[in-house]
Amino acid sequence: MTTSSTLGTPGVRLTPRSEAELVDGLRRGIDRRFGPCVEHFVAPPVIDRRVVELVGYPESFPQLLGSVYGAPQGGPVAATDLVLTAAACHHLYPVFADRALASPVVASVEAACYRGEATSETGRLRSFRMYEVVCLGPAGAVEEWRDRTLTGAAGWLRELGLGINVVAANDPFFGRTGVLLASTQRSQGLKSEFTAEVDDGLVQAIASVNYHKEHFGEVFGIADADAGTAHSSCLAFGLDRVVLALRRRHGDDVSGWPPEVRSLLS
Ligand code: ATP
Ligand code: ZN
Ligand code: MG
């Protein structure tokens, strides 16, 4: 069931308490299965504009980025130093900036994300919750984590009863250069999505695994134990879509769900 906001704004929805409890269960389940994490962060819905510029988001996805405007001291309305969070993991890299990691680090972060999506089908929200587990470290260790996580996430989602598919994917990079970036991302197998039915006949990515190579390590000056640039990879769950997929599969009444599914979320 999708509860739209009272004014019916597309892509913006309220969370009923029953769903909030389910989302709590998902967080616990993800932490249990993909942890242990050295740290967990709950991120705000806004982020330093400079961070987002450093990661290259405005060039790559200008169509999705939202900005915070204000009128300080009643002056003219102008852009502030904040933009809206587009991906939870953007909050995490600055935490490790200018550091050398003695060993690979796994941390998790959740944020309310905004994306200026062009369409507003069920599950394609403009404001949604993203829960991410991120690994930073030497290339070999991060690739191994990525491979293990891909298999692990597929297994966990299937144990939850979801008929998922694992598919090679790419991000919607903007413009002509973007076409090239997208095809490189796909041909190098840098992004995989777990797709599931979220509504009648509507299949969407409910989670993705991304390998960024040394991109974030380079931008934020994160080194691995051998003084090389740290690589990174993330596992990102779209909590709203996972809930939709679970409801689609098992029904709206959580008390009637199979016990093995409920115990994974307890
Ligand atoms: P899509 O291809 O559906 O646009 P994406 O590739 O843009 O997804 P990611 O950037 O990989 O998504 O984000 C991680 C996860 O966040 C996605 O797998 C999805 O579950 C969720 N997500 C992304 N965009 C939205 C959205 N507009 N509404 C709800 N959940 C979303
Ligand atoms: Zn991420
Ligand atoms: Mg998208």
Side-chain angles (χ1 to χ4, degrees):
M1 180 183 70
T2 296
T3 310
S4 297
S5 72
T6 44
L7 290 174
T9 313
V12 178
R13 65 186 286 271
L14 295 172
T15 305
R17 181 188 290 275
S18 61
E19 180 180 312
E21 283 161 6
L22 193 50
V23 169
D24 276 343
L26 278 172
R27 292 185 184 102
R28 283 191 294 270
I30 294 167
D31 279 349
R32 261 201 307 269
R33 190 60 73 101
F34 304 100
C37 292
V38 291
E39 187 71 84
H40 174 74
F41 297 95
V42 178
V46 293
I47 187 166
D48 190 332
R49 182 184 296 275
R50 290 169 307 176
V51 168
V52 169
E53 283 169 357
L54 275 172
V55 306
Y57 201 85
E59 291 100 276
S60 291
F61 310 106
Q63 76 280 27
L64 300 178
L65 183 61
S67 189
V68 178
Y69 281 72
Q73 277 97 49
V77 175
T80 67
D81 57 343
L82 297 173
V83 295
L84 301 179
T85 303
C89 68
H90 290 170
H91 285 280
L92 207 60
Y93 309 109
V95 172
F96 298 97
D98 304 317
R99 277 213 235 164
L101 307 172
S103 54
V105 161
V106 177
S108 57
V109 58
E110 177 175 348
C113 294
Y114 170 86
R115 293 183 185 182
E117 299 279 9
T119 59
S120 60
E121 59 197 13
T122 303
R124 185 162 298 281
L125 301 168
R126 287 186 291 166
S127 182
F128 58 96
R129 289 163 293 182
M130 194 188 295
Y131 195 103
E132 294 204 56
V133 185
V134 180
C135 178
L136 283 156
V142 173
E143 270 179 62
E144 206 177 281
W145 182 89
R146 191 268 314 262
D147 294 345
R148 201 165 4 104
T149 299
L150 257 177
T151 315
W156 187 65
L157 292 168
R158 287 185 178 124
E159 283 172 48
L160 287 172
L162 300 176
I164 53 132
N165 282 308
V166 187
V167 296
N170 62 264
D171 289 312
F173 291 101
F174 185 77
R176 241 186 308 154
T177 335
V179 175
L180 201 67
L181 286 171
S183 82
T184 307
Q185 189 183 29
R186 209 173 251 267
S187 66
Q188 295 191 2
L190 300 179
K191 182 180 181 87
S192 302
E193 286 180 342
F194 303 96
T195 62
E197 194 174 72
V198 295
D199 199 2
D200 200 5
L202 177 65
V203 172
Q204 286 172 344
I206 58 171
S208 70
V209 172
N210 300 273
Y211 181 36
H212 322 112
K213 300 208 269 192
E214 65 274 75
H215 176 63
F216 292 115
E218 205 164 88
V219 163
F220 295 103
I222 310 168
D224 63 25
D226 312 318
T229 302
H231 282 226
S232 64
S233 174
C234 65
L235 164 64
F237 289 92
L239 294 178
D240 307 81
R241 288 187 186 173
V242 177
V243 168
L244 282 171
L246 285 168
R247 286 231 153 101
R248 176 89 198 126
R249 176 71 184 84
H250 301 299
D252 279 340
D253 177 14
V254 179
S255 65
W257 289 10
E260 61 278 15
V261 171
R262 294 178 60 198
S263 89
L264 285 172
L265 304 174
S266 64

